[in-house]
C-alpha cells in the first residue's frame, strides 16, 4: 500500500536550516509528484511546493527564496530543505502524494518542527 | 493567490444533525475543490475531490456540491466519529490554497 514516512529533526535553531526526508513506498516517484504542506495554529495549512514526477519543481512564491525540494528516484526519497528558519516557521511539516490532480489522498505522518534557541 | 474562505471557524452540533460547511473561493475554481477531515494528531484525510466525488471508503453520509466560487460539504445524520475539523482546498491554480478550517464540536 502507499506509504510516506518522514524523518527529520524536531528542533531547529533560529536562522538555521530544516531538512526532512520523505521515504515513499507502494508507488514510484517517476509516476507521481510529492508535495510539501505545513500546518501551524497561526497560519493553518500552507502549500509549500512540489517536485513532479519528471523532477521539475514548483514553489510557493512566499518561500521560493529559501526552499529546495529534490529527490532520488532509486531510493524512493524526496528531500525538503528550508533555510533561515524563524519562530513563525514552527509548524507540522507534511509530505503528501499528488493524486490524479493536485489533491492529496496520501500523507506522511508529519514532522513537528519547533524553531527555538 | 486564490483565497479560500470558510464562513464558520467552528460550530456546535448534535449527533444526528445535518451539517453544512461552506467554502468560498475568491475566484472561479471550476470545481477543482477537495475536502479534508482532520482529527487531532492526524494528517488530513481526503473526503471529496472534484467538488462532488466521494473517495473510496468515505461514508455516504458525506457529500459535496457547488460550482464556480461557492462549495458545500454536507454531512447527513452526524456521527460521533465525524466530530473533527474540515478543510477545503482549491487546486485550480498554484499556489494551492486551503480554507482556515471549520471545527465541529458537540453540544
Amino acid at each position: 500500500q502507499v506509504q510516506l514516512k518522514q524523518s527529520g529533526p524536531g528542533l531547529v535553531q533560529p536562522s538555521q536550516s530544516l531538512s526532512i526526508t520523505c521515504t515513499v513506498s507502494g508507488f514510484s516517484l517517476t509516476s507521481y509528484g510529492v508535495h510539501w504542506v505545513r500546518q501551524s495554529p497561526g497560519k493553518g495549512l500552507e502549500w509549500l511546493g512540489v517536485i513532479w514526477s519528471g523532477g521539475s519543481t514548483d514553489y510557493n512564491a512566499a518561500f521560493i527564496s529559501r526552499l529546495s525540494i529534490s529527490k532520488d528516484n532509486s531510493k524512493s526519497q524526496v528531500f525538503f530543505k528550508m533555510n533561515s528558519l524563524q519562530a513563525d516557521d514552527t509548524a507540522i511539516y507534511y509530505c503528501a502524494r499528488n493524486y490524479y490532480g493536485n489533491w492529496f489522498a496520501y500523507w506522511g505522518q508529519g514532522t513537528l518542527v519547533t524553531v527555538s534557541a | 493567490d486564490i483565497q479560500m474562505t470558510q464562513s464558520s471557524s467552528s460550530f456546535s452540533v448534535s449527533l444526528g444533525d445535518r451539517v453544512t460547511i461552506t467554502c468560498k473561493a475568491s475566484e472561479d475554481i471550476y470545481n477543482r475543490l477537495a475536502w479534508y477531515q482532520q482529527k487531532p494528531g492526524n494528517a488530513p484525510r481526503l473526503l471529496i475531490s472534484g467538488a462532488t466525488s466521494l473517495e473510496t471508503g468515505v461514508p455516504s453520509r458525506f457529500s459535496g456540491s457547488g460550482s464556480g466560487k461557492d462549495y458545500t460539504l454536507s454531512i447527513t445524520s452526524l456521527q460521533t466519529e465525524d466530530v473533527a475539523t474540515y478543510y477545503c482546498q482549491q487546486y485550480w491554480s498554484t499556489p494551492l490554497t486551503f480554507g482556515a478550517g471549520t471545527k465541529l464540536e458537540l453540544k
Side-chain angles (χ1 to χ4, degrees):
Chain A
Q1 72 276 28
V2 173
Q3 289 188 324
L4 298 90
K5 293 185 178 179
Q6 300 176 220
S7 57
L11 181 65
V12 176
Q13 296 204 342
S15 79
Q16 298 302 300
S17 63
L18 168 66
S19 293
I20 302 173
T21 298
C22 179
T23 302
V24 309
S25 57
F27 69 97
S28 171
L29 292 176
T30 60
S31 297
Y32 293 93
V34 171
H35 297 245
W36 291 87
V37 176
R38 74 180 186 180
Q39 184 172 30
S40 62
K43 297 181 181 179
L45 289 159
E46 290 183 287
W47 177 78
L48 302 174
V50 57
I51 186 161
W52 301 108
S53 56
S56 61
T57 53
D58 281 318
Y59 299 122
N60 188 322
F63 302 95
I64 195 169
S65 63
R66 59 191 186 109
L67 182 57
S68 173
I69 303 172
S70 60
K71 66 174 178 171
D72 184 331
N73 291 332
S74 66
K75 295 183 178 179
S76 295
Q77 291 180 320
V78 178
F79 308 107
F80 173 92
K81 185 174 183 180
M82 181 179 283
N83 298 321
S84 305
L85 265 70
Q86 301 301 323
D88 64 356
D89 292 311
T90 293
I92 300 172
Y93 288 75
Y94 294 101
C95 58
R97 199 197 84 174
N98 199 50
Y99 213 46
Y100 298 112
N102 292 331
W103 67 93
F104 312 118
Y106 304 102
W107 297 70
Q109 81 274 21
T111 300
L112 175 59
V113 175
T114 302
V115 182
S116 175
Chain B
D1 299 1
I2 297 176
Q3 307 304 315
M4 304 300 291
T5 301
Q6 293 182 238
S7 54
S8 298
S9 58
S10 66
F11 54 86
S12 295
V13 297
S14 298
L15 297 180
D17 279 354
R18 178 183 177 91
V19 176
T20 299
I21 298 169
T22 61
C23 177
K24 186 176 183 72
S26 58
E27 60 184 83
D28 195 328
I29 57 171
Y30 304 95
N31 289 1
R32 293 343 190 245
L33 184 97
W35 287 100
Y36 300 88
Q37 175 194 70
Q38 188 177 33
K39 298 180 180 179
N42 291 338
R45 172 197 179 193
L46 178 67
L47 299 176
I48 287 170
S49 60
T52 61
S53 297
L54 202 65
E55 288 303 298
T56 302
V58 175
S60 59
R61 62 182 179 272
F62 290 89
S63 64
S65 64
S67 62
K69 298 179 184 180
D70 297 299
Y71 298 87
T72 298
L73 172 69
S74 297
I75 312 171
T76 58
S77 190
L78 188 89
Q79 304 297 302
T80 304
E81 60 266 30
D82 302 334
V83 175
T85 302
Y86 293 84
Y87 297 91
C88 58
Q89 178 227 331
Q90 68 80 19
Y91 51 94
W92 170 244
S93 68
T94 56
L96 309 178
T97 49
F98 295 82
T102 298
K103 184 177 183 179
L104 301 185
E105 297 171 313
L106 284 177
K107 288 179 183 174

